[in-house]
Amino acid sequence: MRQKLVAGNWKMHGNLVENQALLASLRTQLVGLDGVSCAVFVPAPYLAQTQQMLAGSAIAWGGQNVSEYDKGAYTGETSAAMLLDFACRYVLLGHSERRAIFGETDVVIAVKFVAAQKAGLTPILCVGETLEEREAGRAEAVIARQLDAVLEVAGVDALAKAIVAYEPVWAIGTGKTASPAQAQAVHAFIREKIAQLDVVLAHNLTILYGGSVKANNAVELFGQADIDGGLIGGASLVADDFVAICQAAQSCTVAA
Ligand code: PEP
């Protein structure tokens, strides 16, 4: 059975004082969750603090973005090697905010994917459709295009060391969650698409759901056959809420 992963995306929130309390609380509470891995994605300036506070704990951490370049005259960028200097295990790639606000294209995201893996990071590739695309019946086509861009550049084998997160854009930060059946249908589509290239890899691929996951809807979502955990935005900023979501993931592994 696939291990569940619950990942908290802090986005551009927090400060040294607030983080101290949040990280300390997570460190104390997120213990003994068999079958569930937990991770936090903090803003880059707080990676040192995160490393210091979470080293030796059960919680991993990662960057919210990475440069496609190794080093050089790229003002404002953070390389994969720099993330590794702070012991990041993961990096988020292609979050809808990066795509929509910062203009990251499928191709740029694919190049970042390769750069991250080459350095030894595990990419969490975010895919998902807008409301307009869903209403036009194009959700699967959009997600297929986003996956294909990475498959073309990195190859299917690269997905053995990556995670996919399905995040319908209309559900991110809106309080509108995809129903468990809607989310499951897309997750099954993603797994089936990868299975056409490699059945075993597809079976083992961790696919997270993200979009207004809260403690009160997590069990139903994580209980779906192809949902292996969540990428959590807003609720990851409140320790007790994030812990409750991680516990919900564990209850699904126990029930499975
Ligand atoms: C996200 O930031 O990836 C996210 C899913 O946010 P929220 O949980 O707040 O919808």
Side-chain angles (χ1 to χ4, degrees):
M1 209 189 80
R2 292 178 295 273
Q3 167 115 359
K4 296 259 190 254
L5 171 66
V6 180
N9 174 14
W10 290 12
K11 311 195 188 204
M12 200 171 73
H13 291 293
N15 57 50
L16 284 173
V17 174
E18 287 172 8
N19 300 350
Q20 171 95 14
L22 181 49
L23 292 167
S25 180
L26 294 179
R27 184 174 182 130
T28 311
Q29 295 193 69
L30 290 176
V31 287
L33 289 179
D34 294 338
V36 180
S37 300
C38 306
V40 289
F41 291 81
V42 305
Y46 302 122
L47 285 170
Q49 180 190 30
T50 302
Q51 180 182 19
Q52 198 185 10
M53 292 202 61
L54 295 185
S57 77
I59 310 165
W61 57 93
Q64 297 177 7
N65 183 27
V66 73
S67 173
E68 62 266 52
Y69 303 109
D70 287 348
K71 61 162 85 162
Y74 303 107
T75 303
E77 291 292 281
T78 303
S79 72
M82 291 171 185
L83 293 181
L84 282 164
D85 263 347
F86 295 96
C88 287
R89 183 180 306 167
Y90 303 105
V91 64
L92 295 180
L93 289 180
H95 190 280
S96 67
E97 289 150 18
R98 300 296 320 167
R99 293 178 189 265
I101 304 171
F102 300 100
E104 289 190 13
T105 62
D106 291 337
V107 172
V108 165
I109 293 159
V111 176
K112 289 184 176 202
F113 184 101
V114 172
Q117 274 196 335
K118 198 172 126 212
L121 293 164
T122 299
I124 299 186
L125 173 67
C126 304
V127 298
E129 81 287 0
T130 63
L131 185 58
E132 197 189 5
E133 289 162 342
R134 173 163 280 264
E135 286 176 350
R138 291 176 43 227
E140 290 188 355
V142 168
I143 292 159
R145 190 204 71 218
Q146 292 169 338
L147 289 170
D148 281 339
V150 171
L151 289 168
E152 270 166 37
V153 174
V156 68
D157 291 351
L159 283 187
K161 288 195 178 144
I163 289 165
V164 174
Y166 168 54
E167 295 210 301
V169 180
W170 46 273
I172 297 178
T174 59
K176 263 195 215 169
T177 319
S179 70
Q182 274 174 326
Q184 165 57 26
V186 176
H187 281 235
F189 166 76
I190 293 171
R191 203 177 299 286
E192 178 51 38
K193 178 171 168 52
I194 305 302
Q196 285 165 11
L197 302 170
D198 187 325
V199 174
V200 175
L201 190 154
H203 176 76
N204 292 329
L205 179 67
T206 296
I207 309 178
L208 308 181
Y209 168 78
S212 299
V213 176
K214 308 283 176 222
N216 64 8
N217 58 24
V219 170
E220 237 199 313
L221 285 161
F222 299 166
Q224 302 298 309
D226 289 292
I227 301 185
D228 306 315
L231 180 53
I232 320 299
S236 71
L237 297 170
V238 179
D240 289 353
D241 292 353
F242 189 65
V243 169
I245 293 170
C246 295
Q247 287 166 343
Q250 193 194 25
S251 75
C252 294
T253 68
V254 172

